[in-house]
């Protein structure tokens, strides 16, 4: 198939080239995001390959159909940026990579927790400047603390296992209880109950209409003072303005994020030579107890290999049978 790969980053091209080498597909890589202004670049291609911040709404899907596109291949797990109903009505199939490395995201989540708890971001800078003072670097033992995990699918379950390994008590929220989590001692409970008990809260559920702003003023008010809140799932699970309020009051003890509600306009780009006008994100960067990474939790070698191989397999399966296992 002729495939146009939008939003391609330099780091992923070698993995994609290797995966597609003997596939027979003709793949073109471009760094532009897919949106209504770039959709016509897909004229004459049969499949477009897109990533987390490409805008695949009804208008773009209608234009893709006019271009002759039959398949949208997501090279990610989340699909909140795709209007699936619009794709169905235009007869365009949508495939994704459901699980490429739950370890990559779960391990990055643990990295954010350790960084915030032991103030590694401050310690790194201090030592480079010859400052070996320990003031302000006090952390707490993770051992014995209660961690609430919202969403125990592929990533959440791995994260639960790691936190059990640290000696934490892990409580979880999910409409579907995971047998492995139950076996390792994870206790399932209602969201409000879990939030109220937790020293650390980590979000691993998908962004859906019912999970939009799951963390807001109401749910923040249930949490223990000093709670650590971590989001490596999707930005809009959190009402950022509400969390900023919680940080200013000292109610939220620390906040670690790899995703941000308005990240599409900024992430994956070098914005260092322009004025960033997003006041909420900029306010977050001023807190000493906030750590932000730019949607890099998935970025391991193993994950990029799996993403590329599965994306190629999805496209090949669709070409030969009209369906793929990972079709939405
Ligand atoms: P998954 O589908 O395996 O698991 C999601 C779990 O959330 C499921 O068990 C589901 O039952 C549960 N869930 C659904 N609604 C819920 C609710 N209201 N409350 C609690 N739980 C709920 O997905 P996954 O592979 O574990 O990925 C989780 C999320 O991580 C994805 O949706 C994606 O947004 C995000 N993600 C982020 C990165 C990154 O680089 N930061 C990479 C991959 C995935």
């Amino acid at each position: 198939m002729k495939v146009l790969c939008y939003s391609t980053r330099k780091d992923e091209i070698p993995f994609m080239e290797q995966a597609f080498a003997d596939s027979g597909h003709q793949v073109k890589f471009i760094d532009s995001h897919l949106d209504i202004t770039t959709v016509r670049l897909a004229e004459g291609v049969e499949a477009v390959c897109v990533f987390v911040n490409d805008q695949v709404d009804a208008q773009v899907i209608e234009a893709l159909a006019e271009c002759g596109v039959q398949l949208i291949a997501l090279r990610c797990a989340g699909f909140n940026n795709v209007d699936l109903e619009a794709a169905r009505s235009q007869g365009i199939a949508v495939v994704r990579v459901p699980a490429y490395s739950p370890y990559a995201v779960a391990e990055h989540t643990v990295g954010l927790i350790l960084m915030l708890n032991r103030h590694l971001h401050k310690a790194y800078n201090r030592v480079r400047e010859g400052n070996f003072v320990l003031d302000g670097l006090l952390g707490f033992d993770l051992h014995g603390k209660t961690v609430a995990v919202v969403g125990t699918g592929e990533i959440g379950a791995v994260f639960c296992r790691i936190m059990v390994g640290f000696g934490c008590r892990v409580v979880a929220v999910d409409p579907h209880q995971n047998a492995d989590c139950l076996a390792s001692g994870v206790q399932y409970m209602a969201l409000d109950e879990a939030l109220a008990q937790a020293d650390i809260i980590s979000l691993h559920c998908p962004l859906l209409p019912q999970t939009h702003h799951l963390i807001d003023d109401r749910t923040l008010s249930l949490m223990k003072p000093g709670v650590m809140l971590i989001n490596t799932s999707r930005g809009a699970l959190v009402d950022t303005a509400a969390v900023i309020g919680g940080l200013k009051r000292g109610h939220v003890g620390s906040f670690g994020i790899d995703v941000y509600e308005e990240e599409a306009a900024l992430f994956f780009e070098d914005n260092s030579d322009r004025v960033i006008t997003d006041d909420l994100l900029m306010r977050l960067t001023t807190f000493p107890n906030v750590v932000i990474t730019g949607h890099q939790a998935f970025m391991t070698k193993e994950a990029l290999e799996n993403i590329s191989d599965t994306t190629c397999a999805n496209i090949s399966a669709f070409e030969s049978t009209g369906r793929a296992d990972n079709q939405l």
Side-chain angles (χ1 to χ4, degrees), residues 284-304:
L284 280 180
T285 63
T286 67
F287 290 98
N289 49 351
V290 171
V291 168
I292 304 169
T293 53
H295 210 139
Q296 67 169 86
F298 68 97
M299 282 273 285
T300 65
K301 182 176 165 290
E302 291 78 5
L304 291 192

Side-chain angles (χ1 to χ4, degrees), residues 81-141:
N81 55 333
V82 182
D83 187 331
L84 292 179
E85 201 39 61
R88 251 188 296 275
S89 70
Q90 293 292 342
I92 297 181
V94 183
V95 290
R96 67 169 179 146
V97 183
Y100 44 86
S101 170
Y103 310 104
V105 183
E107 289 169 11
H108 188 81
T109 307
V110 179
L112 290 176
I113 292 172
L114 293 172
M115 189 159 182
L116 283 165
N117 178 31
R118 305 308 292 269
H119 311 281
L120 300 179
H121 51 306
K122 285 191 211 168
Y124 174 80
N125 286 325
R126 276 190 198 178
V127 169
R128 283 170 70 90
E129 290 175 8
N131 176 357
F132 299 95
V133 165
L134 298 182
D135 290 349
L137 302 185
L138 187 67
F140 55 84
D141 286 0

Side-chain angles (χ1 to χ4, degrees), residues 44-233:
V45 308
E46 291 144 314
V48 289
C49 183
V50 300
F51 197 49
V52 288
N53 289 330
D54 286 308
Q55 201 179 316
V56 201
D57 58 19
Q59 199 189 2
V60 168
I61 287 170
E62 192 183 335
L64 285 174
E66 285 164 14
C67 291
V69 169
Q70 301 157 30
L71 178 69
I72 297 167
L74 286 153
R75 47 188 201 287
C76 54
F79 48 90
N80 51 284
N81 55 333
V82 182
D83 187 331
L84 292 179
E85 201 39 61
R88 251 188 296 275
S89 70
Q90 293 292 342
I92 297 181
V94 183
V95 290
R96 67 169 179 146
V97 183
Y100 44 86
S101 170
Y103 310 104
V105 183
E107 289 169 11
H108 188 81
T109 307
V110 179
L112 290 176
I113 292 172
L114 293 172
M115 189 159 182
L116 283 165
N117 178 31
R118 305 308 292 269
H119 311 281
L120 300 179
H121 51 306
K122 285 191 211 168
Y124 174 80
N125 286 325
R126 276 190 198 178
V127 169
R128 283 170 70 90
E129 290 175 8
N131 176 357
F132 299 95
V133 165
L134 298 182
D135 290 349
L137 302 185
L138 187 67
F140 55 84
D141 286 0
L142 289 174
H143 182 91
K145 296 297 179 298
T146 299
V147 179
V149 182
V150 183
T152 54
E154 295 283 343
I155 296 167
V158 172
F159 176 71
C160 284
R161 206 181 314 147
I162 298 173
M163 297 322 287
V164 168
F166 270 101
C168 295
R169 172 176 171 254
V170 180
V171 298
V173 183
D174 196 310
H176 305 288
Q177 300 193 357
N178 179 305
D180 290 342
C181 290
L182 285 169
S184 66
V186 172
Q187 292 169 259
Y188 281 89
M189 54 187 69
L191 178 70
D192 288 7
E193 204 184 333
L195 297 183
Q197 294 187 17
D199 301 294
I200 298 170
I201 296 166
S202 192
L203 306 179
H204 299 286
C205 61
L207 176 61
L208 304 165
Q210 57 275 29
T211 58
H212 183 263
H213 286 187
L214 183 93
I215 304 300
D216 60 7
D217 282 320
R218 186 193 76 80
T219 45
L220 281 166
S221 73
L222 304 171
M223 297 175 196
K224 284 189 189 176
V227 67
M228 179 188 288
L229 182 60
I230 306 286
N231 185 12
T232 58
S233 187

